[in-house]
Amino acid sequence: MKQNDNEFMQHDLRLPELTVRGMLLGAILTVIFTASNVYLGLKVGLTFSSAIPAAVISMAVLKMAKDSNILENNMVQTQASAAGTLSAIIFIIPGMLMIGYWQGFEFWQTLLVSACGGCLGVLFTIPLRRAMVVHSDLAYPEGVAAAEILKVGSNAAAASKQGSGLKEIMSGGIVAGVVALLSNGFQVLSGGLSLWFHVGRGMTQFPIGYSTALVGAGYLIGIASGLAMLVGILIAWAGFVPFYTITSALPDGMTMQKFAGAVYQERVRLIGAGAMGVAAIWTLITLAEPVIEGVKESIASVRMSDGEKDKHRMDIDMSIKSIGLVFALTVAGLLAIFYAFVSPEGLPLMQNLTFVLVGVGVAVFMGFFVAAACAYMAGLVGTSSSPISGIGILGIIVASLVMYALCTSFGIFSLPGGEKFATATAIFTTSIIMAIACISNDNMQDLKTGYLVGATPWRQQVALLLGCVVGALVIAPVLNLLYEAYGFPGALPRPDMDPSQALAAPQAALMTTIAQGIFSSQLAWEYIYLGMGLGVLLVIADQILKRNTRNLCLPPLAVGMGIYLPPSVQTPLVIGAIMGYFLNKKLKERKGEEGRKNGMRRGTLFASGLIVGESLVGVALAGVIVVSVTSGGSDSPLALVGKDFADTAEMLGLAVFLVTLAIFGKTVLGNKNN
């Protein structure tokens, strides 16, 4: 949607946006969503976007106030979504306990890393807004979905047309909510199906994930990204996994299925990370010109006398002076907390200061480039599906290499505990990078929502900064609570605890293993190099397709994500994208251009409802689980069946998934009269 096409640009809405009640509600939702995401992220390695459920809850609560409006609701979801996404810092910070450097989560260090890193993520994406939101056709699925929900919610009583839109959102929400409750709560439906089969002496799998929310997100991202991710899945599971399982010896005592899974985790994901790294750099190169133009516009607007009076309020970002002040405060906070982190080691003052300056410098410098890559990825496939942990892998590799060189020059490895200190410093540096990446990943979705509903960018950016601070206050206490209750792999707070009950924290475990591999010189660099070479080939292939065809392309970042992300997460995305393409063609054949637009709008609303329903039930179930486990109960308190029901649950899940797809298609196609 181009800038002059936005219906809200035709007039200046003087409605209250940043209100006290809105910020208080946003703070409460921030606490709830951050706690829920921390638990789910440590449990299964996935977090959900809280923007859409926050928008729905905000509309329900603020509806009781007669003067509430769409812009106020948008600010609430903006604030809450920032903190919900910031919780993805858990993908790295538990590594401090896994290596035995911390015995519990240090409150102030965790707080300031999260808050300052998150604030930098907001600042770094401000110059990208015009290039990626206003002048871009990126999908931003959650951002568009949240905007549709806010529009329908604010106009439902005013127009029957919008009232039907609310019906479609609610229909999608009910369908997804019921499916999520049956699968994640009652556990009578499986979350996916994996068919394993032999390829010669090797093995691979054909997986299908049943997530209705991801089907909705796939519908929104479009066919190009969906097919690119499918190519990535095929490269990984029809190429690398069978190849390595055929050419490698099966370890003693390991089944072929477990071996194939280990090959994917230990080799193929590194290949995907290398491909994503090259694709991210290429993305930055292609975005350089519009980003520079955006920065020039921002600087020019500050220099204009009364410049903001001549600009539409929807084109006003935070001023350069305000950005500079917040940047100085956040960097000062990072320098202080990094010094507090390294000073207990008793190193000479100059060495301490060098570690501080280098660590913060690497985090800030790399964070700027990471911000652009994450903003693009969020626009491509959405916040929930964006592979933040892949960025974390690149971050831990860079940080570890820098710290390795620094520790070698200072002779740190010859000191007792030197390798542990080096590993901890690399993890701490990467934690800052991850905080920047998490918020950058979310910020653009919120700014897209704001652009579509007529919000003022600088007010949204202030709300995002508030969300970062409030969310950071919650992360350390929740992490400590869960650590004391469960522990992590290799880090149990009490000797009598059952290691099998520990929270997996899969990303943190993987990144910690990579850091330790670098410092012990045992990291499998050949797979990362292979991925980088593959990334170059993907970039070339994409450019050839764009130059020689009108509609074909192969986004290299999406292909890299297809290799890196678990296939159960990607298959529903691909299914949703392909389904949207064919429904679009069928609508045009049956009902012409106007009918196609109406049908696709119904699809967008229903897809938004799918994301809303699964997200809200996910939040509710997380709360039930946390209450249960903290009171000594089960981590599956609502389960109605045992493990012996697994095969039946897979078949039931597939049947319900197919029914959901049929309902989706019928909703988009409508009847003969609409």
Side-chain angles (χ1 to χ4, degrees), residues 563-576:
I563 300 171
Y564 175 80
L565 284 175
S568 59
V569 172
Q570 298 178 85
T571 46
L573 279 167
V574 174
I575 290 169

Side-chain angles (χ1 to χ4, degrees), residues 57 61 146 156 198 248 274 332 336 394 405 408 430 492 545 558 574 588 593 624 639 656 661 666:
I57 295 171
V61 173
H198 289 275
S248 304
L394 297 176
T408 300
T430 308
L492 299 177
L545 285 173
V574 174
K588 192 170 184 179
E593 184 61 23
V624 171
V656 171
L661 295 181
K666 184 174 176 57

Side-chain angles (χ1 to χ4, degrees), residues 3 6-18 69-79 129 133-134 143 147 150-151 311-318 443 445-464:
Q3 185 167 349
N6 193 318
E7 61 189 280
F8 292 95
M9 291 295 288
Q10 306 305 318
H11 53 88
D12 196 356
L13 297 176
R14 294 297 181 181
L15 298 174
E17 294 185 63
L18 275 174
N69 64 82
I70 188 172
L71 300 184
E72 186 179 22
N73 287 318
N74 176 61
M75 287 299 164
V76 173
Q77 73 84 17
T78 296
Q79 182 181 350
R129 184 184 66 84
V133 172
V134 179
L150 288 168
K151 288 179 185 178
K311 297 177 68 176
H312 195 284
R313 60 175 183 79
M314 283 181 60
D315 202 34
I316 301 174
D317 293 297
M318 283 179 61
N443 190 13
Q445 295 282 1
D446 293 324
L447 291 174
K448 182 68 172 182
T449 301
Y451 175 68
L452 293 175
V453 303
T456 307
W458 76 263
R459 290 190 173 99
Q460 277 195 282
Q461 289 149 8
V462 170
L464 284 161

Side-chain angles (χ1 to χ4, degrees), residues 202-260:
M203 178 164 275
T204 189
Q205 67 166 323
F206 175 74
I208 300 177
Y210 297 155
S211 169
T212 54
L214 291 178
V215 171
Y219 178 89
L220 296 173
I221 66 175
I223 189 66
S225 297
L227 289 180
M229 295 185 76
L230 178 60
V231 170
I233 296 172
L234 294 174
I235 290 173
W237 291 95
F240 288 123
V241 171
F243 173 77
Y244 286 124
T245 53
I246 290 171
T247 57
S248 304
L250 178 67
D252 293 335
M254 184 178 286
T255 65
M256 185 58 79
Q257 281 190 17
K258 287 187 177 180
F259 180 48

Side-chain angles (χ1 to χ4, degrees), residues 292-559:
I292 291 171
E293 290 300 317
V295 173
K296 287 180 178 178
E297 286 184 40
S298 298
I299 295 174
S301 68
V302 173
R303 292 176 177 172
M304 290 169 59
S305 58
D306 296 325
E308 294 192 349
K309 294 181 181 179
D310 300 328
K311 297 177 68 176
H312 195 284
R313 60 175 183 79
M314 283 181 60
D315 202 34
I316 301 174
D317 293 297
M318 283 179 61
S319 68
I320 295 296
K321 292 180 181 178
S322 299
I323 293 172
L325 177 61
V326 176
F327 179 80
L329 289 173
T330 53
V331 171
L334 289 175
L335 290 170
I337 206 63
F338 213 110
Y339 184 81
F341 175 77
V342 299
S343 58
E345 292 299 317
L347 299 175
L349 178 62
M350 289 306 298
Q351 289 188 12
N352 275 340
L353 292 177
T354 303
F355 274 110
V356 169
L357 293 174
V358 171
V360 174
V362 167
V364 172
F365 180 77
M366 187 173 179
F368 178 77
F369 295 101
V370 161
C374 288
Y376 185 83
M377 288 191 296
L380 195 66
V381 298
T383 302
S384 299
S385 307
S386 185
I388 286 293
S389 49
I391 294 295
I393 289 175
L394 297 176
I396 195 68
I397 290 173
V398 172
S400 297
L401 291 175
V402 171
M403 292 303 165
Y404 184 89
L406 203 58
C407 289
T408 300
S409 65
F410 287 154
I412 299 296
F413 292 121
S414 62
L415 301 175
E419 186 173 315
K420 183 184 290 187
F421 169 73
T423 307
T425 308
I427 291 173
F428 200 71
T429 303
T430 308
S431 299
I432 303 172
I433 297 171
M434 283 292 287
I436 295 171
C438 296
I439 292 300
S440 305
N441 192 47
D442 169 77
N443 190 13
M444 285 304 184
Q445 295 282 1
D446 293 324
L447 291 174
K448 182 68 172 182
T449 301
Y451 175 68
L452 293 175
V453 303
T456 307
W458 76 263
R459 290 190 173 99
Q460 277 195 282
Q461 289 149 8
V462 170
L464 284 161
L465 293 172
L466 290 173
C468 291
V469 175
V470 175
L473 289 168
V474 179
I475 289 175
V478 174
L479 280 171
N480 267 322
L481 175 68
L482 295 175
Y483 169 64
E484 291 296 331
Y486 293 111
F488 304 119
L492 299 177
R494 296 179 299 280
D496 60 339
M497 295 183 70
D498 182 2
S500 66
Q501 299 299 313
L503 294 171
Q507 286 89 347
L510 174 61
M511 293 182 208
T512 301
T513 300
I514 289 173
Q516 291 174 323
I518 289 175
F519 290 113
S520 62
S521 301
Q522 295 179 353
L523 182 65
W525 282 103
E526 63 270 23
Y527 301 113
I528 295 175
Y529 292 147
L530 178 59
M532 293 171 67
L534 177 61
V536 172
L537 293 177
L538 291 172
V539 169
I540 294 171
D542 182 49
Q543 293 303 303
I544 291 174
L545 285 173
K546 286 179 178 177
R547 289 181 182 179
N548 295 283
T549 63
R550 284 201 299 175
N551 299 316
L552 290 179
C553 63
L554 191 69
L557 198 54
V559 179

